[in-house]
Amino acid sequence: MKKTFIMAAAAVGLAFSALAPSAIAASALVENAKNNCVIGEQADGYIGVVSGANAGADLRREIRDINQQRKAVYADIARRNGVTVEVAAALTAEKLMNQATRGQCIRDTSGAWIKR
């Protein structure tokens, strides 16, 4: 099991750079919302709306599209490495959360939103 996890972590590291650009680098609307702590990266590998934040319909639609693209990439990584989609997503989430810049919010594994 440990070997599988290590292999999956390595695969995620390689696949991280191969994620569809729209699944990581998003539109100005999404980037602005991240920079204003309206949305943020979550420990599950997906973008979420920060508790109490006001996210309009256009932003929610973009988040849904990005998260759908990510799920497809995570499923591919999982299939190739014999792990679950959740494991592939969580390993990628770690990298995405580490890239959050000052002023952005991330949601940790306990579900708490933290402003960087």
Side-chain angles (χ1 to χ4, degrees), residues 19-85:
L19 275 174
S22 58
I24 292 180
S27 71
L29 177 65
V30 170
E31 290 302 319
N32 186 47
K34 276 187 177 183
N35 291 334
N36 289 296
C37 206
V38 173
I39 64 172
E41 294 293 343
Q42 303 180 117
D44 65 359
Y46 300 96
I47 296 174
V49 177
V50 175
S51 301
N54 184 16
D58 289 343
L59 178 58
R60 288 183 183 273
R61 190 173 16 265
E62 285 199 45
I63 292 168
R64 185 182 60 244
D65 291 346
I66 290 167
N67 286 341
Q68 287 174 343
Q69 292 171 24
R70 286 185 180 187
K71 187 171 185 174
V73 172
Y74 298 153
D76 185 53
I77 293 167
R79 181 187 48 75
R80 287 186 281 126
N81 292 282
V83 298
T84 65
V85 172

